[in-house]
Every structure is written in C-alpha cells, then in structure tokens.
Amino acid sequence: MDETRVLPGNDVGWNTETTDEVVARHDWGGRDTLAVTVVTATAQLRGVDAIDLPLLSEAIDPDALCQLFAPLARPAMTDGGTRGSVAPSRGHIEFRYAACDVTLWADGTVIVTSA
C-alpha cells in the first residue's frame, strides 16, 4: 500500500503515491529549531537515529534557513488592503542532505524524499 509517512506530532501529510517520502510541518512557535525538524524528518525516512546522520551544516547553513524563512512564517499583517499589506509567502528551497532531497516551504512544510 502506498502511503506517505508523517512524523509523530505533525498534522501534515498527504498520499503522493510513494513510500519514499516523509512530510512534516515545522512549528515556528515550538522549542525545536528548523534544523531539528529537517534532521528528524530525514532520519525518519532513512530509518536511522538522527545522531547517525551527517551534520546538517555539511549540506546547508541551518542558521541561514531560519533567517530566510522565520520572518516569512509570521502571520500576514493586513491593513484593510491599503498600503503596507503583506501577503503570505509561498517561497521554498530545495537541497540535498544525507542522500535525500529536502524541500522546505516558507509555511514550515518539510518534504524529504529519497534521492
């Protein structure tokens, strides 16, 4: 049966007709960093402990990820549609980590697939 594995404690997931994928949503207000979410999702897909994976910093700068996306994850501020309104972002970044392809969306969705 095809299914997408969703990390425990995450409410995001959908069937993409492959078992080579983990989908998680980073909690921007939670205690874990974005790096922890990416590494945990990757470990889940690979079936290993997170400690057994290479450092995320060998693939991408974890602090830069947070600086790039954390401001975009804040709720959109509106002023009735007049000057200064901010629309939610739909940006994303893709990179390879631990023999997996990682896609990180501005809303905190992390998709890890086998490379």
Side-chain angles (χ1 to χ4, degrees), residues 3-5 14 16-24 38 41-46 94-105 110-115:
E3 64 182 60
T4 298
R5 290 179 279 172
W14 52 87
T16 57
E17 299 182 8
T18 178
T19 56
D20 293 331
E21 180 176 74
V22 169
V23 179
V38 169
T42 304
Q44 175 76 21
L45 179 70
R46 302 256 336 259
E94 298 175 12
F95 58 95
R96 182 148 302 166
Y97 169 62
C100 295
D101 292 323
V102 178
T103 304
L104 173 61
W105 289 88
V110 177
I111 303 171
V112 182
T113 58
S114 296

Side-chain angles (χ1 to χ4, degrees), residues 6-105:
V6 181
L7 290 177
N10 286 281
D11 60 352
V12 176
W14 52 87
N15 189 333
T16 57
E17 299 182 8
T18 178
T19 56
D20 293 331
E21 180 176 74
V22 169
V23 179
R25 175 155 315 202
H26 179 68
D27 179 3
W28 294 105
R31 66 182 181 142
D32 288 337
T33 65
L34 182 56
V36 169
T37 303
V38 169
V39 171
T40 303
T42 304
Q44 175 76 21
L45 179 70
R46 302 256 336 259
V48 299
D49 268 329
I51 196 78
D52 295 328
L53 293 176
L55 296 174
L56 182 60
S57 60
E58 293 177 6
I60 197 163
D61 183 340
D63 294 331
L65 283 179
C66 285
Q67 290 176 1
L68 179 65
F69 286 117
L72 300 177
R74 293 186 186 125
M77 300 182 318
T78 61
D79 56 6
T82 60
R83 205 177 96 199
S85 295
V86 177
S89 174
R90 290 178 255 155
H92 73 281
I93 189 169
E94 298 175 12
F95 58 95
R96 182 148 302 166
Y97 169 62
C100 295
D101 292 323
V102 178
T103 304
L104 173 61
W105 289 88

